[in-house]
Amino acid sequence: MDAVLYSIPYLLDGLGITILVSLIVVALSLIIGVILGVGIIYGPLPLRLLIRLIGDGIRGIPILVLIFLVYYGMPALGLNLSSFWSAVTALTIFKSAHVIEYVRGAVLSIPRGQMEAGMSIGLVFRERLRFVIFPQAVRRFLPPWLNGVTDAVKGSALVSLLGVVDLMHAINQVIGRTYEPLPLYILGALLYFAINYSLSTLSKVLERRYSYIRE
Amino acid sequence: MSATSLLQIDKLNKSFGENQVLTSVDLNVVAGEVVTIIGPSGSGKTTLLRCVNFLETYDGGSIQIDGREVGFTDSVSRKRRGEADLAGMRAETGMVFQSFNLFPHLTAEQNIMLGLRRVRKKPHKEAREIAQHWLARVGLDHKADSLPSELSGGQQQRVGIARAVAMDPKVLLLDEITSALDPELVNEVLDVVRQLAVEGMTMLVVTHEIAFARDASHRIVFMADGSGRE
Amino acid sequence: MGYQLSFTQIWANFDKLSGGLLLSLELALISIAIGALIGLVLAIWYVSAGRIGRTLISAYVEFIRNVPLLLLVYLVFYGLPTAVNIAYSAPVSFVATLSLYAGAYLVEVFRSGLDAVPKGLMDAGKAMGLTPWQRLIYVRLPTMTRITLPALSNTFISLFKDTSIASVIAVPELTYGAQWINNKTFRIVEVYAVTTVLYVVTGYVILFGLRLLERRFRVER
């Protein structure tokens, strides 16, 4: 029990880093993923193929491999990133590939008839995107994306392997000093659980709320 | 023909790849006329309708509304109309779809107002009044703030009609509008269409409802294998 | 920067990668087998369970799904032996962890699979005079298996990628092999390029293989 109490400040510091990493990854991957997602739907064929190829490649490898690839590979390209930024870059690349899929799924699942209805009342392409497609795409995008945010938080635990002192690393550090692994792992698990469970509950609430969009 | 055609289709050809769907189709519709097209599945009737508002391109021949070629700047040069131009042409026709295609994120009233505000450039207040007027005309003024998911099939389709008609189109295109409805909901929709016909709306209708075709139309055209016969 | 690409040392040590790949596949296979068992049993139990049973099952599922796999691996490998008198090797520990992980996801898959069995088939079974147990074995489970095949194959491919986490507890699978070669030869780009190709190609091979299997067993709803 003492071990647990002793650990709390360290765990909270680590938790802070975990949340920071997750926020940066989620924000960057959202921006990159949406831009590339729109590109993969409406762009010229060569661009679509390129994004498709790279995206499938990224989603086809384990996150850990991607992290190592970035961590060890960046210096070879002449870029010297800190562990923190290597990890964030790798996670962002990984998440962006998924965001592209969420965007594709959201937009492509909108029935063709919606575009046609927009055409038939005389809207131009840009107006159709803005008033018909975009509002529906956002509502279809949000539930799976929110669910995916939990993957970003879980993936952030891997940054501990590069020495970044996030929650996972903090747990291991404290265990190294107190030799009581089980209670600390359980405490850490509960902390991760608290974050992710709230996110997935929010996602389910939104999914129910927006179910009308899938009539 | 004494009256000038509002909608004139001449020698229309269209193929989907190897498949010749429309072969040299001729059709004239005069202002105020209701023309119904019937025929077996695959005869090209829906394709014909979708060519009129250029949801499908056509390979040969001409479609003119009020003398202006749909889709191309003229039928000889076949130079495709630009985005804005095409949108303007489409605003002159109204289409009601078999699967309703109401915008699910907008209420019934907002569905009708979208075109009025963004295409007809009406101010908000005026668009709202027009929308409410047409909702009342199709018997749904009490459902103005309902989302499509809260409406029955028949109600959704009536909103679909209101959405098309509120734009004040020259020609109304009706694509099997009752085919996706439960039988007991069909009549409420057909009553609205009958009323529009009486009031002089020019309509091109594709339908399976033979009884409706007989009493509401001025002319019936029979299509099979891509060509029509009256 | 004069970084010359040289793959010779990779090929010289390729056995670390090929052996690792094989081990990854084995780990994934065993884990999905055990996980499927767990998932199936819990899914069947869930349907007829009372509130307590359902809460327990949900707690298990939600816990596993919201906690990082890395933490679970550490918990089972380092944490459990201190509380319970167990000693196991790293691979065994990892398989246990991954099986529990797979089980949590598969409970959901099997639950909706069971639900998706057309009621008409069950009625036909009843009409034939089959007992509830017979209906379960001869009608519901076989049909459910065909319905859930796509989800199962996706889970398997996911698990295959998740086996890379085993490298942190020194299980000699593919990612560990790559790290090993990297530490020995410092041929970073080459070794990870080859490893990436191995993961991606294997993933696609599995995907296409399973798609063929699915097509053979397609169910018309």
Side-chain angles (χ1 to χ4, degrees):
Chain A
M1 209 49 216
D2 296 322
V4 170
L5 289 173
Y6 165 79
S7 70
I8 290 185
Y10 298 100
L11 292 191
L12 288 179
D13 278 344
L15 183 61
I17 300 287
T18 293
I19 294 180
L20 180 65
V21 169
S22 305
L23 280 176
I24 299 177
V25 167
V26 165
L28 286 179
S29 65
L30 182 62
I31 298 172
I32 298 174
V34 167
I35 294 176
L36 291 179
V38 171
I40 210 179
I41 301 171
Y42 296 114
L45 189 60
L47 182 68
R48 294 200 331 249
L49 286 178
L50 187 68
I51 299 179
R52 194 76 211 268
L53 211 64
I54 299 182
D56 283 359
I58 294 175
R59 284 179 310 124
I61 56 177
I63 322 177
L64 194 52
V65 171
L66 186 58
I67 290 181
F68 287 144
L69 239 168
V70 171
Y71 182 64
Y72 293 114
M74 285 289 156
L77 285 178
L79 277 166
N80 265 312
L81 292 174
S82 66
S83 315
F84 180 85
W85 286 108
S86 295
V88 168
T89 306
L91 286 172
T92 303
I93 295 175
F94 190 76
K95 231 26 270 272
S96 301
H98 284 95
V99 173
I100 293 175
E101 285 307 301
Y102 300 143
V103 172
R104 268 187 91 226
V107 175
L108 292 182
S109 65
I110 299 175
R112 183 156 170 67
Q114 289 295 306
M115 271 300 241
E116 291 182 354
M119 280 191 246
S120 73
I121 57 175
L123 296 172
V124 260
F125 184 70
R126 194 178 293 139
E127 291 167 333
R128 297 198 292 270
L129 282 188
R130 186 175 154 205
F131 297 113
V132 178
I133 301 295
F134 182 74
Q136 296 185 53
V138 168
R139 287 166 175 85
R140 287 169 185 254
F141 170 83
L142 280 177
W145 176 74
L146 262 177
N147 237 319
V149 172
T150 66
D151 288 337
V153 175
K154 288 191 284 179
S156 74
L158 294 174
V159 310
S160 62
L161 299 170
L162 294 185
V164 178
V165 189
D166 70 324
L167 178 56
M168 188 73 248
H169 194 104
I171 295 172
N172 280 328
Q173 273 184 332
V174 175
I175 291 176
R177 282 178 235 154
T178 65
Y179 300 101
E180 288 197 42
L182 198 57
L184 278 160
Y185 283 134
I186 294 183
L187 181 58
L190 290 175
L191 284 172
Y192 276 110
F193 181 82
I195 302 176
N196 282 332
Y197 190 64
S198 345
L199 284 171
S200 71
T201 308
L202 183 61
S203 157
K204 284 181 204 152
V205 165
L206 275 185
E207 187 159 9
R208 222 173 300 137
R209 219 169 148 263
Y210 290 145
S211 60
Y212 66 80
I213 210 84
R214 286 195 171 268
E215 282 297 295
Chain B
M1 294 280 114
S2 46
T4 45
S5 304
L6 180 51
L7 170 64
Q8 183 154 342
I9 303 174
D10 280 322
K11 298 194 179 37
L12 195 67
N13 284 317
K14 168 139 190 93
S15 320
F16 282 110
E18 297 279 310
N19 199 6
Q20 179 95 4
V21 174
L22 294 172
T23 316
S24 203
V25 177
D26 293 325
L27 185 63
N28 288 341
V29 181
V30 164
E33 234 194 328
V34 174
V35 176
T36 304
I37 308 178
I38 60 175
S41 301
S43 53
K45 28 190 224 299
T46 294
T47 312
L48 177 63
L49 211 65
R50 289 161 61 92
C51 285
V52 175
N53 68 349
F54 216 61
L55 286 186
E56 304 281 356
T57 68
Y58 44 97
D59 309 320
S62 119
I63 303 180
Q64 296 191 3
I65 296 181
D66 244 356
R68 291 182 71 211
E69 181 76 27
V70 169
F72 306 99
T73 49
D74 63 76
S75 57
V76 173
S77 74
R78 296 195 74 81
K79 183 162 166 279
R80 228 192 121 119
R81 288 187 185 278
E83 262 292 341
D85 221 4
L86 203 48
M89 288 296 309
R90 288 191 180 125
E92 298 299 304
T93 60
M95 183 170 249
V96 187
F97 299 84
Q98 180 175 349
S99 46
F100 325 142
N101 288 339
L102 292 185
F103 305 126
H105 55 294
L106 301 175
T107 64
E109 186 177 80
Q110 290 166 338
N111 257 277
I112 303 174
M113 284 171 65
L114 182 59
L116 293 170
R117 294 219 54 213
R118 302 293 162 182
V119 182
R120 295 280 182 236
K121 311 281 193 227
K122 306 259 183 211
H124 184 92
K125 194 154 167 288
E126 197 188 331
R128 196 137 177 269
E129 281 166 7
I130 300 176
Q132 284 174 343
H133 165 80
W134 283 105
L135 277 174
R137 286 285 310 277
V138 300
L140 289 173
D141 44 332
H142 59 293
K143 291 283 188 185
D145 293 322
S146 300
L147 289 174
S149 57
E150 298 163 345
L151 301 174
S152 74
Q155 291 171 328
Q156 287 185 57
Q157 195 57 298
R158 284 188 275 155
V159 174
I161 297 175
R163 178 176 66 175
V165 175
M167 294 288 288
D168 197 24
K170 292 182 175 155
V171 181
L172 194 61
L173 306 168
L174 301 165
D175 186 7
E176 305 222 26
I177 65 176
T178 56
S179 298
L181 290 174
D182 291 335
E184 65 269 16
L185 300 173
V186 167
N187 274 323
E188 68 191 57
V189 173
L190 292 183
D191 284 342
V192 171
V193 181
R194 270 185 261 262
Q195 183 61 24
L196 288 173
V198 161
E199 289 164 10
M201 183 96 241
T202 314
M203 295 194 269
L204 192 55
V205 183
V206 168
T207 187
H208 290 138
E209 298 279 333
I210 312 275
F212 168 81
R214 262 205 294 263
D215 31 81
S217 349
H218 298 105
R219 262 194 300 152
I220 300 181
V221 172
F222 181 77
M223 270 194 83
D225 292 327
S227 47
R229 237 167 314 268
E230 302 208 27
Chain C
M1 293 227 63
Y3 190 87
Q4 305 281 50
L5 279 182
S6 155
F7 284 89
T8 23
Q9 287 182 293
I10 313 296
W11 308 137
N13 292 295
F14 195 71
D15 57 311
K16 285 275 179 286
L17 294 179
S18 55
L21 177 59
L22 233 57
L23 184 58
S24 288
L25 287 169
E26 278 175 44
L27 293 172
L29 212 59
I30 302 175
S31 301
I32 201 172
I34 303 178
L37 205 63
I38 298 175
L40 191 57
V41 166
L42 290 182
I44 297 178
W45 179 23
Y46 191 91
V47 178
S48 50
R51 274 188 65 214
I52 304 177
R54 292 191 183 207
T55 316
L56 281 174
I57 298 177
S58 298
Y60 159 63
V61 171
E62 290 300 329
F63 180 75
I64 300 279
R65 295 179 73 151
N66 287 302
V67 174
L69 181 57
L70 183 61
L71 202 159
L72 292 172
V73 169
Y74 284 143
L75 204 163
V76 171
F77 188 57
Y78 293 119
L80 274 189
T82 63
V84 184
N85 216 344
I86 290 188
Y88 36 34
S89 63
V92 171
S93 159
F94 184 77
V95 169
T97 313
L98 200 60
S99 304
L100 283 174
Y101 189 76
Y105 284 91
L106 291 176
V107 169
E108 285 303 305
V109 168
F110 288 138
R111 260 206 324 125
S112 49
L114 284 172
D115 254 350
V117 175
K119 300 289 176 275
L121 290 185
M122 297 303 285
D123 288 343
K126 278 185 213 167
M128 275 168 62
L130 297 177
T131 68
W133 197 243
Q134 285 174 319
R135 289 201 298 271
L136 179 68
I137 309 264
Y138 294 112
V139 181
R140 218 150 179 219
L141 287 183
T143 317
M144 179 215 71
T145 310
R146 279 156 201 199
I147 294 176
T148 56
L149 219 46
L152 282 174
S153 30
N154 287 336
T155 309
F156 179 63
I157 295 174
S158 264
L159 289 178
F160 168 62
K161 288 185 277 173
D162 289 332
T163 58
S164 66
I165 306 275
S167 61
V168 311
I169 52 174
V171 173
E173 46 71 64
L174 181 51
T175 306
Y176 184 81
Q179 279 290 75
W180 189 94
I181 298 181
N182 185 26
N183 287 329
K184 187 175 174 212
T185 69
F186 297 106
R187 291 273 130 206
I188 310 149
V189 176
E190 293 89 330
V191 69
Y192 277 108
V194 174
T195 310
T196 300
V197 170
L198 283 174
Y199 270 114
V200 174
V201 168
T202 310
Y204 271 117
V205 167
I206 300 177
L207 188 66
F208 284 129
L210 289 173
R211 285 287 138 86
L212 284 175
L213 205 70
E214 281 170 41
R215 210 166 295 158
R216 206 174 156 303
F217 286 113
R218 180 71 69 81
V219 167
E220 292 309 319
R221 302 280 196 92

